[in-house]
Amino acid sequence: MDKNRVSADQLALMYFLLIAGGKFLTLPSILAGDVGHDSWLVLCFSFLWDGICLAFLLWAIKINVNARLDIADILNNSVSRPVGIALFAIFFVIFVLRADILLSSCFKMFSVTFDVSTNWIVFALPFAALAFFAIGRGFNAIARTSQLLFGLIALSVVALLVSPLTQTDFAELLPIGQAGWGTIVKTSFTRSFWFSDYIFIYFVLDGIKVKKHLYLPVFTAFFAGAALTVLLNAVFVALFGHLAPNFDLAMSKIGIFSVASTANGRWDWLTLSVWLISVIIKIIVYIFCAYKCIEKIFGANFVKINWFAAAFVTATLAVPLFVNTDGLLNTVIKWGLIPFAVVQYALPLLMPLFTRTAIDKTEARYE
């Protein structure tokens, strides 16, 4: 059995967790700094672009269901191997940078919220070890873990939001569009680095089991994750107003309203800890994809863990030791906005065409 095979349902549940795992930490404060209380509108536009691109990517999966070509085969046979290598290099930078940003946010969460004092190496290495253990077991192991923990994580998020919702005055979000619709749409593009959570699907393209339904479970997960993210962001900016840009751990701050601080300290640590599992899963998925990028760049198919590739990916997790992650993110987004947009938005729109072309060329070789 292919250890990277996943079902459409598993794919959907993981997709939901990846959306929930990446946008509840620093993004709400960043968007609040950009457009104030209209930040939830930026999310709506960003998810609109994501939904369109996701539809085309799922279409490519349907085309590929029998051929089962992987992403390298599709790109090599449609746009050429050199172009494919360039795209994998862009993917690698995206995955590594996202993993570093999430790790940095988790580090701050543990330090500030849980009062856990440690250094970066001791903190990051266990994540790397866990990620490569998962890679050795196969993507199916990650998917099964996500499936097993999905209900618990979803309940923890709901538990964190119920009380804040009752204390939120959504009139604080008025007037709608105050930042200017042009600015809102532009921000949805300039902050696109945080979106397109579906890009991990490229690296399991040949392992997705499609029986009857594909669009329904995946889009259900997408809409549920998007709605929850928009709601959390709206609650955050409505509760904190003009102070929202100053709080870079949104979920932790919202947790204060879930269960108010007491003389014995915060007791929402349990739900926050459970929710953080989704962030850990997302980091593991990104490390998996970064590792696969190296595999595709060198045209290899590692049967077992390649420790040179693993060491290289692990070394990239030490970047926050030497560079401020916020400054690094702003610099990379400034110079990498267009290349990132190519793989996040242009590539999925072209994937049905590329997949059909690659299948036709592959079949022509055997005729």
Side-chain angles (χ1 to χ4, degrees):
M1 179 180 176
D2 188 344
K3 63 181 182 179
N4 290 324
R5 292 282 276 172
V6 293
S7 68
D9 291 339
Q10 289 174 325
L11 189 73
L13 294 179
M14 177 174 287
Y15 187 30
F16 175 90
L17 293 182
L18 295 195
I19 295 174
K23 298 178 177 61
F24 296 173
L25 286 167
T26 59
L27 181 61
S29 65
I30 291 173
L31 294 181
D34 290 338
V35 295
H37 66 257
D38 286 324
S39 57
W40 66 277
L41 292 171
V42 173
L43 291 171
C44 290
F45 279 107
S46 298
F47 279 124
L48 174 62
W49 319 140
D50 276 10
I52 294 170
C53 293
L54 177 62
F56 277 81
L57 184 54
L58 295 182
W59 182 11
I61 292 172
K62 295 285 282 188
I63 294 172
N64 191 46
V65 68
N66 293 320
R68 291 186 59 189
L69 299 180
D70 71 6
I71 182 63
D73 292 329
I74 292 172
L75 293 180
N76 291 346
N77 286 295
S78 57
V79 294
S80 78
R81 175 158 169 72
V83 174
I85 290 174
L87 293 176
F88 287 127
I90 296 171
F91 272 127
F92 180 81
V93 173
I94 290 177
F95 289 126
V96 164
L97 187 56
R98 287 188 180 185
D100 282 339
I101 296 298
L102 285 176
L103 275 171
S104 180
S105 296
C106 283
F107 185 78
K108 187 177 296 185
M109 174 76 83
F110 278 97
S111 299
V112 175
T113 305
F114 299 139
D115 196 26
V116 176
S117 180
T118 184
N119 64 63
W120 182 259
I121 295 297
V122 174
F123 180 79
L125 282 181
F127 281 89
L130 180 61
F132 287 108
F133 172 77
I135 291 171
R137 302 284 293 178
F139 195 81
N140 181 262
I142 306 174
R144 286 181 178 274
T145 302
S146 301
Q147 188 177 21
L148 179 66
L149 297 174
F150 174 82
L152 197 59
I153 295 171
L155 284 174
S156 71
V157 175
V158 173
L160 283 166
L161 278 176
V162 168
S163 182
L165 272 173
T166 64
Q167 303 176 55
T168 302
D169 179 9
F170 287 103
E172 296 293 330
L173 302 179
L174 299 176
I176 294 175
Q178 185 178 32
W181 291 102
T183 300
I184 291 169
V185 173
K186 179 182 177 182
T187 304
S188 73
F189 180 69
T190 57
R191 295 300 181 184
S192 59
F193 170 83
W194 297 93
F195 294 86
S196 305
D197 294 297
Y198 52 77
I199 60 176
F200 80 96
I201 296 175
Y202 288 116
F203 296 88
V204 291
L205 204 64
D206 58 327
I208 300 172
K209 297 180 287 186
V210 181
K211 294 182 178 179
K212 293 183 178 180
H213 303 292
L214 176 63
Y215 292 95
L216 180 61
V218 175
F219 267 103
T220 299
F222 169 71
F223 285 122
L228 192 60
T229 302
V230 172
L231 177 61
L232 180 138
N233 192 91
V235 168
F236 176 72
V237 294
L239 287 173
F240 293 100
H242 67 280
L243 295 176
N246 300 321
F247 301 133
D248 57 358
L249 295 174
M251 185 61 95
S252 178
K253 292 300 179 182
I254 286 178
I256 294 174
F257 289 85
S258 297
V259 279
S261 298
T262 68
N264 294 320
R266 293 176 58 172
W267 52 275
D268 60 332
W269 63 269
L270 181 58
T271 47
L272 278 172
S273 299
V274 173
W275 165 73
L276 274 174
I277 295 173
S278 67
V279 183
I280 295 171
I281 290 172
K282 189 165 189 172
I283 292 170
I284 290 171
V285 170
Y286 283 163
I287 293 175
F288 171 89
C289 292
Y291 176 83
K292 284 294 179 181
C293 285
I294 295 177
E295 184 178 279
K296 305 305 180 186
I297 287 172
F298 288 98
N301 184 18
F302 303 140
V303 178
K304 296 181 178 180
I305 294 289
N306 183 294
W307 294 109
F308 291 102
F312 182 72
V313 174
T314 302
T316 63
L317 301 182
V319 168
L321 272 175
F322 310 101
V323 180
N324 177 272
T325 50
D326 293 333
L328 175 63
L329 177 61
N330 291 331
T331 301
V332 172
I333 286 178
K334 178 182 178 181
W335 296 104
L337 187 62
I338 300 303
F340 289 173
V342 168
V343 298
Q344 289 182 236
Y345 299 119
L347 183 58
L349 297 179
L350 294 170
M351 276 301 291
L353 174 62
F354 288 168
T355 303
R356 185 72 266 167
T357 300
I359 291 173
D360 290 344
K361 286 187 176 181
T362 302
E363 291 177 346
R365 292 195 192 103
Y366 294 99
E367 288 181 354

